[in-house]
Amino acid sequence: MRMPDLATPLIAWFRHNARDLPWRAPDFGAWGVLVSEFMLQQTPVTRVVPRLEEWLTRWPTPAALATEPPAEAVRQWANLGYPRRALWLHRAAVEIAERHGGVVPRDVDALLALTGIGDYTARAVAVFAYGDRHPVVDTNTRRVIARAVGGCAQPNPPSPRDLVAMSTLLPDGDDDAAVVNAAAMELGALVCTARAPRCESCPIADRCAWRAAGYPDTGDTRRRQARYEGSDRQARGAVMKVLRDAAPEPVAAMTAIPDWPDPRQRDRAIDSLIADGLIEASDGLLHLPR
DNA sequence: TAATCGTGGCC
DNA sequence: TGGCCAAGATT
């Protein structure tokens, strides 16, 4: 099966339809891109934008963040969710200060060696901050490729094959690689969405394998998210909120979420947060990590 | 490989 | 209203 040229229409579409997002400013910098990618891991764009501005105003460089205790990163993270990302971003900043002279590395393997950076984030930084040619594959891109190339309604679970598939869509030179990567993501976010895709305004509809096949329901391998209400995650989130709001003052362990319906679950949440390094305990008091 | 990990908006 | 979804990484 020959691969249709998707890059050309994607580039043209992106030039006219890309959202004006802060990290797309030409002088935004590698640190800003790195912070934005951490925040964007599973958190919607609209919630990230204001927090990102605050973060970069307070810590304009990795070294600035590295001089602060992790507690400040966790507190500044606020309600973005998955607070371990704040901890990992702080660790990454320390590693960048110590191992890379305070400069966000450009090499993908060096980026992958940083705490909290995986296949997606490493390549996103190398491509969007430095303009190098690598495949950048997020959940949007996987869905676009699954439909346009694979003819399936939904992507398979993430796999190294995704990187190969995206590579074949990139133009040869470095110049447009970043645009095509960003365009595939943007198309998935705005047009080729998970629910109710807007195929009537899709720039590659005329070469979409899923459309050509008549939009078959190819099944759905996704697993349902666990219920949040009443979960350990909810208990952990409640504990973290109490400690964030109290910081820098510590909180007595017995009074953290005192009215939680299940005391055993509350204790389990506290223990797991300590194990994760998100909180610390001393003399029966809980506080954010110093 | 599969489970785990927050939070909030949307339909 | 409750399930689905959101620029993933780690273990």
Side-chain angles (χ1 to χ4, degrees):
Chain A
M1 173 174 82
R2 269 199 58 221
M3 194 76 67
D5 172 33
L6 302 181
T8 303
L10 281 176
I11 292 168
W13 175 83
F14 188 74
R15 295 211 188 288
H16 292 286
N17 297 279
R19 290 168 292 180
D20 183 20
L21 299 172
W23 46 89
R24 289 177 179 162
D27 59 344
F28 199 67
W31 171 239
V33 171
L34 179 60
V35 174
S36 77
E37 296 299 349
F38 264 88
M39 291 184 170
L40 287 164
Q41 293 169 4
Q42 298 287 281
T43 299
V45 165
T46 53
R47 290 179 52 205
V48 162
V49 170
R51 298 287 178 219
L52 176 64
E53 310 282 0
E54 296 166 2
W55 189 283
L56 292 175
T57 298
R58 181 170 179 183
W59 298 306
T61 65
L65 175 57
T67 62
E68 298 246 24
E72 288 307 303
V74 172
R75 190 154 71 130
Q76 188 74 36
W77 195 258
N79 63 341
L80 282 176
Y82 292 145
R84 55 177 57 171
R85 289 181 295 159
L87 206 55
W88 291 343
L89 176 54
H90 179 270
R91 281 183 202 161
V94 170
E95 291 161 0
I96 291 168
E98 290 178 347
R99 307 208 292 250
H100 300 285
V103 179
V104 175
R106 177 169 186 163
D107 179 71
V108 169
D109 288 329
L111 287 160
L112 283 170
L114 298 174
T115 300
I117 293 191
D119 282 331
Y120 166 77
T121 303
R123 289 173 178 78
V125 170
V127 171
F128 300 137
Y130 292 113
D132 292 337
R133 185 183 185 281
H134 303 283
V136 181
V137 178
D138 76 334
T139 186
N140 290 307
T141 299
R142 291 195 305 109
R143 188 173 53 249
V144 168
I145 292 176
R147 290 175 179 167
V149 180
C152 299
Q154 303 290 346
N156 293 317
S159 136
R161 289 188 296 274
D162 302 332
L163 294 176
V164 178
M166 187 62 207
S167 290
T168 67
L169 300 183
L170 295 180
D172 290 337
D174 286 17
D175 289 353
D176 284 327
V179 177
V180 173
N181 277 307
M185 294 168 60
E186 192 78 338
L187 188 73
L190 298 182
V191 175
C192 193
T193 52
R195 300 179 293 198
R198 303 172 54 215
C199 302
E200 70 283 356
S201 41
C202 178
I204 57 174
D206 62 338
R207 52 199 88 182
C208 174
W210 187 44
R211 178 183 178 89
Y215 300 121
D217 181 354
T218 55
D220 194 340
T221 61
R222 293 170 299 177
R223 269 192 348 285
R224 274 204 273 286
Q225 268 185 3
R227 179 180 179 82
Y228 183 66
E229 194 67 27
S231 67
D232 284 13
R233 297 164 74 175
Q234 185 184 35
R236 286 168 53 106
V239 170
M240 290 304 297
K241 175 165 174 51
V242 167
L243 290 192
R244 280 199 311 267
D245 293 347
E249 296 302 315
V251 171
M254 298 307 292
T255 64
I257 54 172
D259 297 328
W260 199 257
D262 181 351
R264 288 172 47 249
Q265 183 179 53
R266 180 200 59 191
D267 294 343
R268 192 162 65 240
I270 291 172
D271 288 345
S272 71
L273 288 169
I274 292 172
D276 289 345
L278 279 166
I279 64 176
E280 295 174 349
S282 57
D283 300 332
L285 295 180
L286 303 177
H287 56 83
L288 298 179
R290 291 195 262 266

